[in-house]
């Protein structure tokens, strides 16, 4: 693989932004919402994924919209206040939503039988009983397989902010940390209202 290809994998926003990124992102959001509805797995926040008590289809859609819009709006506001460039909201919305496409792999993993059984398990059982479930360890391994895709999503979100808001050095890191970590906390609070 050449350096150019690796660079485009790490930062797809060198070639894709604006309406094109938004279009692919909206398609990914629709597919992700549908897969989550089938599997029963919810987005509890930007960095949290698992079972939840509300099986309504609109809950899955609301979670996806919250996980997209809260960090995107935090990035946009950070860019408006800290960047010397003109910030277009369509670029921020599009790149942030596109950056979340790797989470589709985690959604697909949640369709596998051990993950489906884990989502229906009583989490109040003792640790010994939990570990004795035949599918529990398989589900843990499958969950770990999703971790690299979460990391790719975080790298893409960082690059989405960098490209769409033209931020550098401490401004870039400040807005990235507020948008990702603060965004996750805020998403968890807002999504908590859905249950």
């Amino acid at each position: 693989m050449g350096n150019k290809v690796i660079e485009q994998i790490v930062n797809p926003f060198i070639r894709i932004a604006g309406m094109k990124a938004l279009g692919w992102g909206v398609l990914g959001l629709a597919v992700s919402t549908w897969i989550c509805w089938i599997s029963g797995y919810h987005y509890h926040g930007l960095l949290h994924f698992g079972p939840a008590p509300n099986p309504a289809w609109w809950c899955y859609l609301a979670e996806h919209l919250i996980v997209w819009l809260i960090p995107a709006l935090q990035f946009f506001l950070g860019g408006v206040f800290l960047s010397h460039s003109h910030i277009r909201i369509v670029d921020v919305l599009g790149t942030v939503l596109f950056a979340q496409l790797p989470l589709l792999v985690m959604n697909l993993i949640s369709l596998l039988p051990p993950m489906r059984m884990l989502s229906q398990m009583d989490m109040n059982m003792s640790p010994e009983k939990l570990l004795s479930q035949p599918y529990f360890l398989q589900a843990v391994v499958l969950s770990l397989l999703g971790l690299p895709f979460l990391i790719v999503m975080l790298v893409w979100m960082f690059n989405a902010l960098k490209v769409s808001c033209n931020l550098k050095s401490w401004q870039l890191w400040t807005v990235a940390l507020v948008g990702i970590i603060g965004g996750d906390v805020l998403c968890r609070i807002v999504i908590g209202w859905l249950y």
Side-chain angles (χ1 to χ4, degrees), residues 22-36 43 60-69 97-98 100-101 104 107:
L22 186 60
W24 280 108
V26 167
L27 178 62
L29 183 139
V31 171
S32 178
T33 301
W34 179 67
I35 292 171
C36 286
Y43 283 91
Y60 296 96
L61 178 60
E63 290 165 355
H64 280 74
L65 292 173
I66 290 165
V67 165
W68 165 38
L69 293 172
L97 189 56
F98 188 94
Q100 295 179 358
L101 287 177
L104 276 169
N107 297 341

Side-chain angles (χ1 to χ4, degrees), residues 25-85:
V26 167
L27 178 62
L29 183 139
V31 171
S32 178
T33 301
W34 179 67
I35 292 171
C36 286
W37 181 63
I38 291 170
S39 70
Y41 274 79
H42 292 257
Y43 283 91
H44 298 215
L46 180 61
L47 306 174
H48 296 85
F49 185 67
N54 191 344
W57 69 267
W58 59 264
C59 183
Y60 296 96
L61 178 60
E63 290 165 355
H64 280 74
L65 292 173
I66 290 165
V67 165
W68 165 38
L69 293 172
I70 286 178
L73 293 175
Q74 288 179 308
F75 282 2
F76 178 72
L77 291 173
V80 166
F81 287 112
L82 296 175
S83 178
H84 298 294
S85 301

